[in-house]
């Protein structure tokens, strides 16, 4: 009598890939194992924590609860952005260069979750501190196309998008400080030359909720995002790219939450909630780049200039922004909070450090990229956050146009990167 041998379970490396909808599409090589994080950087952590606490106390006492809450939300955004390494620049670079769409799929989850929360908040008219939440719409015209194109080229040269610039600066990346400087300079230049681009041909903004209601707007937005998600999986499966790199991470849920890298989809969920809270508190969506024009104008004023005479700052909203203190400005508060929160998270994760040497060509690319993003964001009335994320989540067509043109700009930016000694992902790489 013979007995039938029981089947053996294949090794993990040979097991069938997961088929869940949120599981990544196959890659040329397995996802690398993250390294253990370095020890906590106690000095930078203490400095960042003191700065965050002191700023929060001052803003709350000087300007009230609403600005104080916005600063705290900015700090939380910085923590979430850093831990999830949630970027737009690298996601589009990996997609265009080798077809790895994991970052783009994380975008669709962030956009869908944010659209859901926006529909609830704006559709019900909910708001705190007397605010009335409003969607982020933008005109459809030549300035939008030129601006989003310039922004996408700039972020590939500068190495970060708007939100990525802030959390990279907070984590001590010296080259991105140059990108931020260029960002402020470009935003200020565009504000100074506002008459050159303010009257370019454009159609009025198209917000879906004005035509099909908030339920219809949400349904259409989520349906299109689902198509993008599925098409991205199909493209990645066909191109079989290298996997995306992974950041150092502690083991275990609690340790990973505090000192590790979060899954992109977890980061997307947290960012969606925090973005909805910004809308709930202030009445407007989370934005980044309008603060850069304000910072530049404040500097010009300190040096004896008169930005209040510029046509840009004679617009009622911009005039009010310029006349008030920086620490009472909504966007400035969340921007500063992102940098502080990222510094705290990077120090706890042991990876906060200043890079003292920046190659000359990298420095030039960082400055140039920042200038292009600053100019582009003003022309397009927003960046990857204020136009792309807030626009699509609000059901505004200008957000979709921004994203589509940004993909074209990314393709151009990838071809310019080698001129500055910057590399691009290749199909044969071990990670992209």
């Amino acid at each position: 009598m013979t007995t039938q041998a029981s089947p053996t379970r294949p090794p993990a490396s040979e097991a069938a890939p997961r088929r869940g909808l949120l599981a990544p599409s196959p890659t040329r090589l397995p996802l690398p194992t993250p390294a253990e994080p370095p020890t906590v950087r106690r000095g930078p952590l203490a400095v960042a924590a003191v700065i965050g606490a002191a700023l929060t106390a001052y803003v709350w006492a000087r300007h009230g609860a609403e600005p104080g809450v916005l600063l705290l939300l900015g700090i939380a955004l910085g923590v979430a952005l850093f831990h999830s390494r949630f970027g737009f620049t690298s996601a589009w670079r990996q997609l265009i260069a080798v077809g790895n769409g994991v970052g783009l799929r994380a975008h669709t989850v962030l956009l869908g979750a944010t659209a859901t929360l926006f529909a609830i908040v704006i559709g019900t008219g909910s708001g705190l501190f007397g605010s009335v939440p409003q969607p982020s719409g933008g005109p459809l015209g030549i300035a939008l196309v030129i601006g989003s194109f310039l922004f996408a080229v700039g972020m590939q040269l500068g190495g970060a998008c708007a939100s990525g610039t802030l959390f990279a600066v907070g984590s001590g990346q010296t080259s991105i400080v140059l990108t931020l400087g260029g960002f402020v300079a470009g935003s200020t230049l565009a504000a100074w030359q506002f008459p050159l681009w303010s009257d370019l041909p454009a159609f009025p903004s198209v917000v879906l909720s004005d035509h099909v209601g908030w339920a219809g707007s949400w349904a259409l937005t989520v349906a299109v995002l689902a198509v993008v998600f599925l098409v991205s999986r199909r493209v990645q499966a066909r191109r079989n790219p290298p996997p995306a790199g992974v950041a150092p991470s502690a083991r275990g849920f609690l340790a990973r939450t505090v000192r590790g890298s979060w899954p992109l989809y977890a980061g997307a969920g947290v960012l969606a909630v925090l973005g909805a809270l910004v809308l709930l508190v202030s009445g407007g969506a989370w934005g980044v780049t309008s603060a850069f024009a304000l910072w530049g104008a404040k500097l010009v004023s300190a040096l004896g200039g008169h930005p209040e005479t510029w046509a840009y700052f004679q617009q009622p909203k911009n005039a009010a922004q310029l006349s008030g203190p920086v620490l009472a400005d909504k966007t400035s508060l969340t921007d500063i909070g992102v940098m502080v929160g990222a510094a705290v998270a990077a120090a706890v994760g042991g990876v906060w450090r200043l890079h003292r040497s920046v190659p000359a060509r990298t420095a030039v690319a960082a400055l140039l990229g920042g200038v292009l993003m600053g100019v582009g964001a003003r022309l397009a009335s927003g960046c990857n956050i204020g136009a792309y994320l807030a626009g699509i989540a609000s059901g505004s067509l200008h957000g979709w146009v921004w994203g589509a043109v940004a993909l074209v700009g990314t393709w151009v930016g990838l071809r310019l990167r080698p001129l500055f000694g910057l590399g691009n992902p290749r199909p044969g790489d071990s990670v992209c």
Side-chain angles (χ1 to χ4, degrees), residues 15-26 31 233:
R18 292 176 294 160
R19 299 295 184 187
L21 189 61
L22 295 183
S25 295
L31 189 69
R233 285 180 64 88

Side-chain angles (χ1 to χ4, degrees), residues 3-27:
T3 59
Q4 185 176 2
S6 60
T8 59
R9 188 174 182 176
S13 60
E14 299 175 10
R18 292 176 294 160
R19 299 295 184 187
L21 189 61
L22 295 183
S25 295
T27 50

